[in-house]
Amino acid sequence: MHKAVILVGGPSRGTRFRPLSLNVPKPLFPVAGAPIIAHHLAAVAKIEGLKEVLIIGFFEDNVFANFINQAAIDYPNINVRYLREYQALGTAGGIYHFRDEILRGDPKSFFVIHADIACAFPLQGMLDAHSKHRGLCTLLGTKVPREQANKFGCLIARPETNEVLHYVEKPDSFISDLISCGVYLFDSAVFSEIKNALDNKKNAHEENDYLWSAPDDRLRLEQDLLRPLSEGRKLYVFETQNFWRQIKTAGSAVPANAAYLEQCAAEAPERLAKKQPNGPEIVGAVYIHPSASIDPTAKIGPNVSIGPRAVIGKGVRIKDAIVLDNVVVNSGSCVLHAVVGWDSRIGAWARVEGSPVQGHSTTVTKNGIKSQSITILGKEVSVKDEIIIRNCIVLPHKELKASFHNEILM
Ligand code: GTP
């Protein structure tokens, strides 16, 4: 029997996902037509013998109620529950706090998956690799461009055995381009190591600064647990060549959306839009909610998701974008490399435009000025006719009557 834990954080996290996280908790933001964590759930549901998924975070209890009700319909054989931390306990603290729930039913192993990633989730491959070594954890690893590696948890592994010899979270200087993806498979026996990590942290606190601060129950999976596991030779890596992306900034939802749509085109093309006799031109992988209305002269795609009740006018061009519920885009307008927030309105002959994302970074530097590659319109933004909004982040409820470039509009 296996289980899975999805770490969703809480309202104080996801700040880099603003302005989109002002209206929906980041784990529930739709990419490729489904909440971010619905993709996690679909992946774990494919594992034979997986009986329970525990969503652990510090959001209010009711935040995941609709998601869990839908999960009960979609996956009747899997018990999906939300467990709420009384405060932010860190990426390993919550797992330890709810250890009795995780261990109930005596699972042999359990997955722990960060909510803020988009991934092909090669979980069966991880299970197979895990059964072949004597470690307590197999983590999913991937190679990233050398110059971006220090933004992640970097690891050095023995190539013949995949044993992790060294793990450093966000190192100051380059140590490796192999990084941790935020997907772990743990043996149930790992809880004694987590207890040791917690005790070590408390002891260090008592020795160093007990006079100045109260000890806390927070424990970080990466720094406090993976490091000692690698030092004890109990950590292994399973490297994937398939897609993986972090969803940190609001702009990073756009490449995540593209990656899931492309996966869908290969594995479940029936979910995607197809050219109909009197329908719009569709290019590449496109998801259109059945309640959206698209003018037949529009051209959509590739890598576009269009949400419920959106209305797309004559001659509109949309590419590499997420268009959310109830958006109206009037005739002749262009939406490229952008997210258009709920209930927003784009006038006629307007442009809402970003630039393509380079690697894992969602900022671009042009003439020495750093700006957002993806343009984001928050909820209920109105862009008037013939206005151009380029490489901007626009907060909710703004009315834009002039064109803007490289700005955060509040
Ligand atoms: P940053 O780049 O600093 O954001 O680090 P990171 O990529 O390692 O991410 P981080 O550790 O902040 O979070 C990883 C995942 O764990 C995200 O999905 C978070 O929402 C989640 N998470 C972070 N802190 C907590 C916590 O205290 N409790 C729970 N349950 N989840 C958390």
Side-chain angles (χ1 to χ4, degrees), residues 31-33 39 117-121 242-247 252-268 271-272 285-286 302-305 320-322 359-360:
V31 290
H39 298 280
I117 56 168
C119 180
F121 294 116
N242 214 325
F243 78 85
W244 174 82
R245 308 207 57 101
Q246 266 194 321
I247 309 178
S252 58
V254 168
N257 180 60
Y260 277 135
L261 287 172
E262 275 161 28
Q263 183 188 40
C264 200
E267 292 175 9
R271 277 199 65 222
L272 297 183
V286 172
N303 305 329
V304 172
S305 294
D320 285 291
I322 301 175
H360 289 269

Side-chain angles (χ1 to χ4, degrees), residues 46-61:
K46 289 188 190 139
I47 297 291
E48 204 180 315
L50 188 126
K51 295 268 187 297
E52 192 168 55
V53 177
L54 302 171
I55 299 170
I56 299 186
F58 50 99
F59 287 100
E60 299 277 321
D61 284 317

Side-chain angles (χ1 to χ4, degrees), residues 34 39 68 101 136 195 211 227 266 278 330:
H39 298 280
I68 287 173
E101 298 288 346
L136 285 178
K195 167 112 186 33
L211 285 176
R227 229 187 147 134
N278 289 318
N330 282 305

Side-chain angles (χ1 to χ4, degrees), residues 109-112 126-127 130 136-138 183-187:
S109 57
F110 59 98
F111 287 99
V112 172
M126 288 177 74
L127 270 172
H130 193 74
L136 285 178
C137 175
T138 300
V183 182
Y184 311 94
L185 176 61
F186 287 109
D187 260 25

Side-chain angles (χ1 to χ4, degrees), residues 28-103:
L28 297 178
F29 182 81
V31 290
I36 290 175
I37 57 168
H39 298 280
H40 296 52
L41 193 53
V44 297
K46 289 188 190 139
I47 297 291
E48 204 180 315
L50 188 126
K51 295 268 187 297
E52 192 168 55
V53 177
L54 302 171
I55 299 170
I56 299 186
F58 50 99
F59 287 100
E60 299 277 321
D61 284 317
N62 59 1
V63 164
F64 294 98
N66 288 345
F67 179 82
I68 287 173
N69 289 343
Q70 187 59 43
I73 297 167
D74 295 342
Y75 307 102
N77 300 326
I78 299 179
N79 186 24
V80 182
R81 288 194 294 146
Y82 175 61
L83 302 177
R84 184 178 176 189
E85 293 165 20
Y86 56 92
Q87 62 172 57
L89 292 177
T91 38
I95 299 169
Y96 190 66
H97 183 71
F98 291 113
R99 61 194 176 281
D100 292 346
E101 298 288 346
I102 296 172
L103 292 175

Side-chain angles (χ1 to χ4, degrees), residues 191-201:
F191 282 107
S192 57
E193 299 284 337
I194 304 183
K195 167 112 186 33
N196 291 343
L198 206 53
D199 290 345
N200 289 343
K201 202 178 151 222

